[in-house]
């Protein structure tokens, strides 16, 4: 469960809140300034004045959604007000951006009067490409959405209504498929007549449910014709001509229960009275109307969905709204209509019936998913959801006549959508998930460092690795308590450990011909060097990998590892590589840290080791051997060395994609690379091998500091066992990423 302090710290740390505005155009020179603002900005203004649709060409309007709320029905918190609801609206913006690359401004309106909300949104229509209404209480939310859809020419979508209904309906379609029932024949009970409940009922009817078979209930019981208490026009439309009066009566013989009401609203006795193969969607948050354990205790044939991530079949709105808006925006839809919503339902339902990829399974602890009673809805982190739902919504908008800029080539559109997913971050997530499949023991020599302890806590919580902390036991335990961490991991104190004398004897054996006496070995292991002690743990098999350097100089970490663990005997030395994580991709750069002036043979060795490392991370290597010239354009000793290195690599690994010598821009730019039709690279390189330490070190540090790349490394290559080095400025997230890579390394040993 999420802890209060962790949640508050998440929102308060660093830049306050969860969002920022970032310029998408450069503004570095006087020319940039004159184009961004006066006088250049007048040109697009005049163009838009002449043709208003050009706003989609010259401004961010076409990818900008307003998340609008007055805070009257925030999550499970109720009417907490517009200001208190702002963290939720910011969070909605984060999800829009993360899952569909849609930009968001959150607008909190300080009024409970629906006409005020309507007027505010109407006046802001020139700014936005779409409106996402959020956390507005019923029945006002129905009136607000209806009026805005009548008067505005951009999509308006109340996610609490339609988002829940869409995901719920996708699950319903698949559940009915599994039990062999038709939606037009089943009896459906909906409990909760607020925004989500009424939307679920309406969409079920739109999908073919029989009006006479759908029974709505609220806190007063069944909504029947002629009832006066607690009614409104929206409930009236769903009133049933029936003698049923209570939820318990309605549930008797029902095939489907849809709950968006309150904890405990459904009893095991009610479940017992349902029809064969009952379908229960208990979506009250945070606690469902009935838990799966309670339902299954009385019926083994029940199919259940809830709103919670710790149970199968989570009805999560994030499977809907980012992708629905993505599709609507991309065809400049004037509205989000019933056809578009039904298209989203069908796309999600079909996706759950597809074979689930390994990447999704790894994201959930390597759990296997296949279409069935415990998997009727795709998982929120399934990257295919964007690629299925957005095109389906866009196509439905075109077919229903509300798309103003139809997509001509849907296949190319899907390819474009793939580029929005931020493959770099997805790659890192895949590495973490691979680590979680088989966590290994990672020893941290700086076990009392605050960042190490926080990273260790995360590694344990996420099941990525099994940390071992080296340090003074009392100091480490005191630091853990000071940080308020619940961290139970091995703490090894060299001054009291029973391993110390054994390690000293082994270090003496390894280094006695290198000038070390037994007494010096004892002093090094016991007091002088925790890096030596950590390296001995890996060498002796008491740990699987070492990760150090957060508070020491680079040589002080790598030297003990070389002395104790050593390099692989068939290699000339060890090599270093950085993983450079950009928003749209990952590049691997070697050798950036070890070899100062490598020979052709050493360059080839670096390339082969880099390819091996990248393959471990489930990435297909494409290697460019860099120089200052392209493919023999300059005959020089330095270019000839690189050319010879390429030849050596091709001799040793003929299947490996590698070419050179080439310039850096040629290596990473497909348009430039395509000029050389003879190259063996099938696309832009993702591994760059530098000709010397000077160029490699300078390049990666500039990219890290000025290019906005996250530098993960250095990753040492060629050691007998995994050893990686942290940098003093590394944050907790980087330490976690490095640990995941170390685990994946160890898995291959």
């Amino acid at each position: 469960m999420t802890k209060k302090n962790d949640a508050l710290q998440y929102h308060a740390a660093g830049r306050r809140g969860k969002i920022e505005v970032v310029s998408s155009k450069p503004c570095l020179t006087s020319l940039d300034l004159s184009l961004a603002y006066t006088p250049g900005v007048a040109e697009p203004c005049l163009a838009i004045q002449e043709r208003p649709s050009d706003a989609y060409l010259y401004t961010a309007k076409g990818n900008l959604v307003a998340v609008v709320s007055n805070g009257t029905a925030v999550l499970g918190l109720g009417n907490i007000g517009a200001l208190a609801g702002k963290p939720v609206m910011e969070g909605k913006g984060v999800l829009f951006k993360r899952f569909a690359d849609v930009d968001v401004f959150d607008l909190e309106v300080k009024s409970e009067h629906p006409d005020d909300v309507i007027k505010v949104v109407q006046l802001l229509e020139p700014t936005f490409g779409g409106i996402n209404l959020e956390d507005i209480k019923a029945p006002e939310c129905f009136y607000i959405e209806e009026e805005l859809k009548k008067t505005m020419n951009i999509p308006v979508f109340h996610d609490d209504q339609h988002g829940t209904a869409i995901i719920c309906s996708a699950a319903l379609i698949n559940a009915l498929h599994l039990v062999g029932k038709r939606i037009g024949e089943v009896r459906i009970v909906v409990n909760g007549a607020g925004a989500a409940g009424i939307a679920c009922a309406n969409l079920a009817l739109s999908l073919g449910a029989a009006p006479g078979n759908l029974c709505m209930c609220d806190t007063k019981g069944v909504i029947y014709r002629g009832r006066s208490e607690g009614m409104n026009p929206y409930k009236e439309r769903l009133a049933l001509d029936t003698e049923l009066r209570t939820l318990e009566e309605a549930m008797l013989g029902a095939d489907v229960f849809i709950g968006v009401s309150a904890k405990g609203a459904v009893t095991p006795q009610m479940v017992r009275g349902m029809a064969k193969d009952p379908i229960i969607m208990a979506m009250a948050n945070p606690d469902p109307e009935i838990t799966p354990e309670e339902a299954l205790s009385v019926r083994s044939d029940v199919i259940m969905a809830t709103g919670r991530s710790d149970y199968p079949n989570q009805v999560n709105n994030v499977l809907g709204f980012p992708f629905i808006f993505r599709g609507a925006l991309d065809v400049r839809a004037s509205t989000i209509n019933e056809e578009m919503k039904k298209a989203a339902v069908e796309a999600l339902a079909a996706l759950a019936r597809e074979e689930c990829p390994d990447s999704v399974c790894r994201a959930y602890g390597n759990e296997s998913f296949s279409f069935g009673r415990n998997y009727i809805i795709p998982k929120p982190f399934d990257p295919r959801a964007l690629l299925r739902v957005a095109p389906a919504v866009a196509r439905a908008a075109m077919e229903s006549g509300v798309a103003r800029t139809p997509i001509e080539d849907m296949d190319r559109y899907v390819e474009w959508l793939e580029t929005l997913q931020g493959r770099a971050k997805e790659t890192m997530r895949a590495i973490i998930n691979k680590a979680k499949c088989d966590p290994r023991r990672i020893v941290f020599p700086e076990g009392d460092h605050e960042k190490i302890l926080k990273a260790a806590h995360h590694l344990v919580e996420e099941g990525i690795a099994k940390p071992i902390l080296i340090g003074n036991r009392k100091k480490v335990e005191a630091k853990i308590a000071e940080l308020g961490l619940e961290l139970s991991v091995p703490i090894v104190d060299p001054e009291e450990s029973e391993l110390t004398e054994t390690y000293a004897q082994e270090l003496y054996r390894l280094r006695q011909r290198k000038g070390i006496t037994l007494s010096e070995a004892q002093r090094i292991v016991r007091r002088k060097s925790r890096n030596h002690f950590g390296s001995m743990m890996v060498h002796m098999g008491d740990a699987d990998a070492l990760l150090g350097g957060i508070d020491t100089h680079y040589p002080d970490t790598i030297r003990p590892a070389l002395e104790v663990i050593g390099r692989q005997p068939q290699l000339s030395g060890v090599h270093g590589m950085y993983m450079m994580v950009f928003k749209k991709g990952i590049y691997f750069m070697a050798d950036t840290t070890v070899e100062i002036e490598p020979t052709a043979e050493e360059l080839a060795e670096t390339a082969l080791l880099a390819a091996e490392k990248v393959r471990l991370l489930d990435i297909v290597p494409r290697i460019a051997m860099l120089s200052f010239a392209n493919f023999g354009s300059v005959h020089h000793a330095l270019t000839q060395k690189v050319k010879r290195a390429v030849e050596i690599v091709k001799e040793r690994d003929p299947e490996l994609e590698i070419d050179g010598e080439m310039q850096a821009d040629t290596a990473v730019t497909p348009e430039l690379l395509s000029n050389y039709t003879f190259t063996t690279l099938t696309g832009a390189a993702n591994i760059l091998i530098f000709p010397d330490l000077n160029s490699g070190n300078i390049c990666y540090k500039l990219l890290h500091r000025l290019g906005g790349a996250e530098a993960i490394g250095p990753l040492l290559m060629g050691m007998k066992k995994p050893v990686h080095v942290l940098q003093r400025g590394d944050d907790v997230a980087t330490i976690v990423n490095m640990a995941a890579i170390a685990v994946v390394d160890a898995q291959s040993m």
Side-chain angles (χ1 to χ4, degrees), residues 717-739:
M717 304 182 296
M719 299 289 292
K720 288 181 181 177
K721 294 185 178 181
V723 175
H724 295 308
V725 184
L726 299 170
Q727 302 295 296
R728 292 194 176 201
D730 284 347
D731 58 17
V732 173
T734 300
I735 297 170
V736 170
N737 289 340
M738 287 284 285

Side-chain angles (χ1 to χ4, degrees), residues 201-349:
N202 285 330
L203 190 52
L205 292 171
S206 179
L207 290 167
N213 286 341
L214 193 147
C215 182
M216 285 287 298
C217 299
D218 61 9
T219 56
K220 308 297 183 184
V222 172
I223 297 173
Y224 59 90
R225 288 183 185 172
R227 197 183 97 172
S228 58
E229 188 180 8
M231 294 296 286
N232 60 52
Y234 307 98
K235 293 182 183 180
E236 195 67 51
R237 294 171 190 169
L238 294 164
L240 189 65
D241 188 4
T242 179
E243 297 298 320
L244 301 173
R245 292 297 181 264
T246 67
L247 175 62
E248 187 171 8
E249 292 174 358
M251 288 282 280
L252 188 62
D255 298 280
V256 177
F257 170 81
I258 296 173
V260 276
S261 51
K263 174 185 178 181
V266 174
T267 66
Q269 185 63 31
M270 293 180 190
V271 175
R272 188 179 283 113
M274 294 181 72
K276 184 178 183 295
D277 291 316
I279 298 164
I280 298 176
M281 299 190 190
M283 299 178 289
N285 268 322
D287 298 302
E289 286 81 358
I290 186 170
T291 66
E293 293 92 342
E294 291 169 327
L296 290 167
S297 70
V298 295
R299 296 287 296 264
S300 61
D301 60 343
V302 66
I303 295 179
M304 275 213 67
T306 71
R308 290 176 52 149
S309 61
D310 53 348
Y311 290 124
N313 300 324
Q314 182 192 17
V315 177
N316 190 324
N317 283 18
V318 79
L319 276 168
F321 68 85
F323 318 129
I324 292 165
F325 268 98
R326 181 76 274 160
L329 292 172
D330 292 337
V331 294
R332 295 188 197 168
S334 58
T335 187
I336 293 175
N337 58 25
E338 204 69 12
E339 290 84 354
M340 295 160 73
K341 288 185 281 185
K342 288 196 287 187
V345 171
E346 296 290 351
L348 286 169

Side-chain angles (χ1 to χ4, degrees), residues 87-384:
V88 177
M89 306 316 135
E90 287 189 357
K92 202 80 174 187
V94 171
L95 298 181
F96 265 108
K97 190 67 176 177
R98 162 63 179 81
F99 288 98
D101 197 27
V102 173
D103 297 319
V104 163
F105 288 160
D106 60 292
L107 303 176
E108 291 73 37
V109 182
K110 189 180 179 181
S111 175
E112 294 191 17
H113 197 292
D115 287 328
D116 290 342
V117 178
I118 291 169
K119 190 65 174 177
V120 168
V121 176
Q122 287 172 332
L123 291 173
L124 289 170
E125 180 170 358
T127 304
F128 298 101
I131 304 295
N132 184 99
L133 300 174
E134 191 76 18
D135 292 350
I136 301 172
K137 70 178 181 177
E140 289 90 336
C141 60
F142 305 120
Y143 167 64
I144 290 171
E145 186 187 37
E146 285 177 357
E147 288 302 306
L148 291 176
K149 292 185 80 166
K150 288 178 191 174
T151 58
M152 299 184 73
N153 203 30
I154 58 176
V156 178
F157 184 84
H158 186 203
D159 186 49
D160 300 302
Q161 293 181 60
H162 310 301
T164 302
I166 286 166
I167 314 307
C168 173
S169 296
L172 176 60
I173 285 174
N174 280 338
L176 290 172
H177 175 81
L178 285 170
V179 298
K181 297 180 181 181
R182 296 183 179 182
I183 192 168
E185 299 171 353
V186 294
R187 282 193 56 230
I188 301 172
V189 176
V190 180
N191 193 49
I198 288 178
C200 287
N202 285 330
L203 190 52
L205 292 171
S206 179
L207 290 167
N213 286 341
L214 193 147
C215 182
M216 285 287 298
C217 299
D218 61 9
T219 56
K220 308 297 183 184
V222 172
I223 297 173
Y224 59 90
R225 288 183 185 172
R227 197 183 97 172
S228 58
E229 188 180 8
M231 294 296 286
N232 60 52
Y234 307 98
K235 293 182 183 180
E236 195 67 51
R237 294 171 190 169
L238 294 164
L240 189 65
D241 188 4
T242 179
E243 297 298 320
L244 301 173
R245 292 297 181 264
T246 67
L247 175 62
E248 187 171 8
E249 292 174 358
M251 288 282 280
L252 188 62
D255 298 280
V256 177
F257 170 81
I258 296 173
V260 276
S261 51
K263 174 185 178 181
V266 174
T267 66
Q269 185 63 31
M270 293 180 190
V271 175
R272 188 179 283 113
M274 294 181 72
K276 184 178 183 295
D277 291 316
I279 298 164
I280 298 176
M281 299 190 190
M283 299 178 289
N285 268 322
D287 298 302
E289 286 81 358
I290 186 170
T291 66
E293 293 92 342
E294 291 169 327
L296 290 167
S297 70
V298 295
R299 296 287 296 264
S300 61
D301 60 343
V302 66
I303 295 179
M304 275 213 67
T306 71
R308 290 176 52 149
S309 61
D310 53 348
Y311 290 124
N313 300 324
Q314 182 192 17
V315 177
N316 190 324
N317 283 18
V318 79
L319 276 168
F321 68 85
F323 318 129
I324 292 165
F325 268 98
R326 181 76 274 160
L329 292 172
D330 292 337
V331 294
R332 295 188 197 168
S334 58
T335 187
I336 293 175
N337 58 25
E338 204 69 12
E339 290 84 354
M340 295 160 73
K341 288 185 281 185
K342 288 196 287 187
V345 171
E346 296 290 351
L348 286 169
L351 178 57
R353 296 193 292 269
E354 293 183 27
E355 183 178 352
C356 193
D358 290 341
S359 62
V360 176
C361 297
R362 287 196 296 266
Y364 292 87
N366 213 33
E367 184 179 353
S368 179
F369 300 112
S370 59
F371 181 58
R373 290 172 175 263
N374 289 326
Y375 182 66
I376 56 175
I377 324 173
K379 293 295 182 179
F381 283 98
D382 192 327
R384 302 171 301 168

Side-chain angles (χ1 to χ4, degrees), residues 441-501:
R441 301 164 298 172
I442 308 295
V443 61
F444 293 91
E446 297 128 322
D448 52 2
H449 194 281
E450 178 177 330
K451 290 182 179 180
I452 297 297
L453 292 172
K454 288 182 177 179
H457 178 261
H458 186 88
L459 292 169
V460 172
E461 287 285 298
E462 294 294 316
I464 298 170
K466 301 175 182 178
I468 301 171
L469 306 174
I470 300 180
N472 180 281
R473 180 176 299 277
K474 290 183 179 179
K475 289 183 178 179
V476 174
E477 290 175 344
K479 193 68 175 178
I480 291 173
E482 177 189 329
L483 295 171
L485 300 175
E486 294 181 9
L487 182 60
S488 179
V489 297
I491 301 171
V492 182
D493 187 341
E495 293 199 37
E496 64 179 30
S497 174
E498 60 184 19
L499 299 172
T500 300
E501 184 57 34

